[in-house]
Amino acid sequence: MDRRAPQVSSNKAMKVAYRPFGLISGIAGGLVASVVFKQVWRRISDEEDAPDALQSEYPWRKILLVAALQGAVYGVVKAAIDRGGAKAFQRWTGEWPGD
C-alpha cells in the first residue's frame, strides 16, 4: 500500500486552505511595503515623494535607482510577511503550506 498518496492529497488540501490566508497577507504586505518605502524615501531624500517614471524632470538614473530601491523594499517586506504568515499557518494547522 502506498502511504504517500494520502499525504499528497493532504498537502493539496493545505495549499488550498492557505490560499485565502496568503491572499490577505499579500495585500497586507503590499500596503506595509508602500508605507515602509515612503518612510525610507523620506529619510534618504530631500523630496517628500519619490519621483514617478512619467515625471519628465527626473533623469533616467534617478528613476531607475528609485525603482530598484522600491523593488528591494517590496521584496524584503513581502518575503517577511509571507514567511511570517506561513509560520502562523503552521502553528495553527500543524502543516507547512508550501510543502
Side-chain angles (χ1 to χ4, degrees):
M1 178 176 244
D2 186 9
R3 291 183 174 215
R4 289 184 296 172
Q7 187 171 349
V8 170
S9 66
S10 173
N11 287 344
K12 285 183 181 180
M14 284 298 122
K15 285 182 180 182
V16 169
Y18 181 74
R19 282 184 186 166
F21 189 80
L23 179 64
I24 291 167
S25 69
I27 292 169
L31 295 173
V32 170
S34 177
V35 170
V36 170
F37 173 73
K38 286 178 184 179
Q39 292 299 316
V40 168
W41 180 255
R42 287 182 183 141
R43 289 193 176 147
I44 65 169
S45 175
D46 298 337
E47 301 170 19
E48 182 70 19
D49 293 322
D52 184 74
L54 298 179
Q55 292 176 296
S56 63
E57 65 269 21
Y58 294 101
W60 273 91
R61 181 177 180 211
K62 188 166 190 172
I63 295 296
L64 296 179
L65 287 172
V66 168
L69 176 63
Q70 189 173 22
V73 167
Y74 177 79
V76 168
V77 170
K78 182 173 178 352
I81 288 179
D82 285 350
R83 185 65 173 208
K87 288 277 205 182
F89 186 82
Q90 183 183 34
R91 280 193 302 271
W92 295 332
T93 66
E95 297 283 333
W96 187 258
D99 291 340

